[in-house]
Amino acid sequence: MSEALLDPEEMEAIQSAIRETAPRRSGSAMTPTSEPTRLALIADDRVADAARPILLALATRWTRIAQRSLRSHVPGRWQLDVVGAEIIDGSTAKDELRGGYVSATSTELVVAVQGEVVDVCAAHRIGASIEAAATPAGSSQKPTSATALRLFEHAGRAIVESWTAAWREAFDKACAPTGDLSVVSRLIDARTVVRVAMTLSGSVSGRICCYSRPEALIARPVELAAIKANAARIANALCNVPVELVAELGTLSLPLSALRRLDSTTTHTLPQFLDSHVPVFCGGVLKAWAKPVVCRGVLAIQIVSIVHDQGSKS
């Protein structure tokens, strides 16, 4: 075989052939037509996966209510947008709740507000300059002070009350703000937490998140009681199940040419003798060895040995 490299014309011909046989695409990139679904492996994951769209729909309903109720508390021209809902763990929620305004509802929703909006609302409350409270473009977000959090309390209460209004509209159930810190404790101790995030954009920026344990949004499936099986009853039930036994009297290997010449008068000698033991199979598994016998004028087998002592000898 020649060791010479392909010349440019041969290379171009090969590449052209590859391009012609490659599958054609209608666009520059294939866009998936459906959102991939998470594989829920355990009960907690299944409940959380079912609760995520419920909290997302609740947040969408809340943004419509909040646009009206927050106009007197948050100055400037701004808008609220739902970013999305995710499933996290309690320790992640604990880290995210630090440094912001945190409150809860009687239905165990935990609401957190962070970012520039806290300082802007605090400055607006005391009549200070909004521009002084705003974070300059390109600078890092400064930590929210304890004073700003106290002044934000009035706006924060309005945010939580709008969440309770959205809950009552969605579920037709009572919901009220609560100062019970045990709601937050149960949230951060939970293995799975559903979080929905909203952003403020425009003249005021910030982030509003709502956290909930999945079972607060959707009922957990009832666990079936575990009943220990009775081994004797199972054995008795299985004794009445019919099984198929196959006694292999002999096997023969033939070439394809001999198979084509088969007819009704063809005779082939088996490799076993008349008194040779034959295998007995059940479901393709060797269970016993037997010998051919004639019983009351019909061909039968007599079990000689059981494989691995399964069962009793006859």
Side-chain angles (χ1 to χ4, degrees), residues 17-164:
I18 293 175
R19 285 193 296 268
E20 290 179 0
T21 56
R24 301 183 183 278
R25 297 184 177 183
S26 57
S28 58
M30 298 296 291
T31 304
T33 57
S34 60
E35 181 183 356
T37 303
R38 292 180 64 253
L39 178 63
L41 300 179
I42 59 178
D44 286 347
D45 293 332
R46 291 197 296 270
V47 175
D49 202 51
R52 186 171 64 91
I54 296 177
L55 186 59
L56 188 62
L58 182 64
T60 303
R61 182 185 296 269
W62 171 78
T63 55
R64 295 197 295 267
I65 300 174
Q67 295 278 0
R68 301 188 300 269
S69 62
L70 295 182
R71 288 298 175 187
S72 60
H73 301 281
V74 184
R77 298 177 62 87
W78 49 267
Q79 67 177 16
L80 270 170
D81 295 300
V82 179
V83 177
E86 294 181 289
I87 299 173
I88 59 176
D89 54 26
S91 60
T92 302
K94 180 180 180 180
D95 295 337
E96 293 180 356
L97 291 175
R98 291 193 181 102
Y101 172 83
V102 178
S103 187
T105 70
S106 58
T107 53
E108 302 206 347
L109 293 178
V110 175
V111 181
V113 185
Q114 295 170 325
E116 179 189 78
V117 62
V118 177
D119 294 321
V120 170
C121 288
H124 180 66
R125 180 77 187 279
I126 61 176
S129 172
I130 306 302
E131 290 74 12
T135 303
S139 62
S140 59
Q141 177 66 43
K142 61 181 179 180
T144 304
S145 65
T147 303
L149 289 175
R150 285 196 299 270
L151 292 172
F152 181 77
E153 184 73 30
H154 190 62
R157 191 180 303 113
I159 291 176
V160 178
E161 288 176 353
S162 60
W163 272 103
T164 62

Side-chain angles (χ1 to χ4, degrees), residues 1-313:
M1 183 175 180
S2 173
E3 297 292 334
L5 297 175
L6 296 175
D7 59 42
E9 293 182 357
E10 292 175 328
M11 182 65 70
E12 178 61 25
I14 293 174
Q15 292 176 349
S16 177
I18 293 175
R19 285 193 296 268
E20 290 179 0
T21 56
R24 301 183 183 278
R25 297 184 177 183
S26 57
S28 58
M30 298 296 291
T31 304
T33 57
S34 60
E35 181 183 356
T37 303
R38 292 180 64 253
L39 178 63
L41 300 179
I42 59 178
D44 286 347
D45 293 332
R46 291 197 296 270
V47 175
D49 202 51
R52 186 171 64 91
I54 296 177
L55 186 59
L56 188 62
L58 182 64
T60 303
R61 182 185 296 269
W62 171 78
T63 55
R64 295 197 295 267
I65 300 174
Q67 295 278 0
R68 301 188 300 269
S69 62
L70 295 182
R71 288 298 175 187
S72 60
H73 301 281
V74 184
R77 298 177 62 87
W78 49 267
Q79 67 177 16
L80 270 170
D81 295 300
V82 179
V83 177
E86 294 181 289
I87 299 173
I88 59 176
D89 54 26
S91 60
T92 302
K94 180 180 180 180
D95 295 337
E96 293 180 356
L97 291 175
R98 291 193 181 102
Y101 172 83
V102 178
S103 187
T105 70
S106 58
T107 53
E108 302 206 347
L109 293 178
V110 175
V111 181
V113 185
Q114 295 170 325
E116 179 189 78
V117 62
V118 177
D119 294 321
V120 170
C121 288
H124 180 66
R125 180 77 187 279
I126 61 176
S129 172
I130 306 302
E131 290 74 12
T135 303
S139 62
S140 59
Q141 177 66 43
K142 61 181 179 180
T144 304
S145 65
T147 303
L149 289 175
R150 285 196 299 270
L151 292 172
F152 181 77
E153 184 73 30
H154 190 62
R157 191 180 303 113
I159 291 176
V160 178
E161 288 176 353
S162 60
W163 272 103
T164 62
W167 180 278
R168 287 192 294 267
E169 284 187 6
F171 301 105
D172 195 22
K173 293 181 180 179
C175 181
T178 178
D180 189 2
L181 296 179
S182 63
V183 175
V184 181
S185 299
R186 286 192 293 271
L187 178 81
I188 62 180
D189 291 337
R191 196 190 74 86
T192 54
V193 174
V194 185
R195 177 197 65 199
V196 62
M198 288 73 62
T199 59
L200 272 163
S201 58
S203 59
V204 180
S205 64
R207 178 181 172 92
I208 302 175
C209 292
C210 182
Y211 303 81
S212 175
R213 293 184 296 119
E215 52 268 26
L217 296 167
I218 185 171
R220 181 180 293 274
V222 178
E223 296 183 1
L224 298 178
I227 301 175
K228 187 177 181 179
N230 187 303
R233 291 182 179 179
I234 293 177
N236 291 335
L238 292 177
C239 286
N240 297 322
V241 176
V243 295
E244 183 181 63
L245 295 180
V246 177
E248 190 177 277
L249 297 178
T251 59
L252 188 66
S253 297
L254 292 175
L256 185 58
S257 58
L259 186 63
R260 291 174 176 174
R261 294 195 299 270
L262 286 178
D263 57 37
S264 57
T265 61
T266 304
T267 302
H268 291 283
T269 303
L270 296 176
Q272 293 88 352
F273 292 98
L274 288 177
D275 57 351
S276 296
H277 292 173
V278 297
V280 179
F281 296 95
C282 179
V285 179
L286 179 64
K287 291 295 182 180
W289 289 94
K291 63 180 181 180
V293 296
V294 175
C295 180
R296 296 182 181 181
V298 296
L299 184 63
I301 57 171
Q302 180 180 353
I303 302 298
V304 176
S305 62
I306 303 297
V307 176
H308 302 309
D309 296 328
Q310 297 179 12
S312 59
K313 296 182 180 181

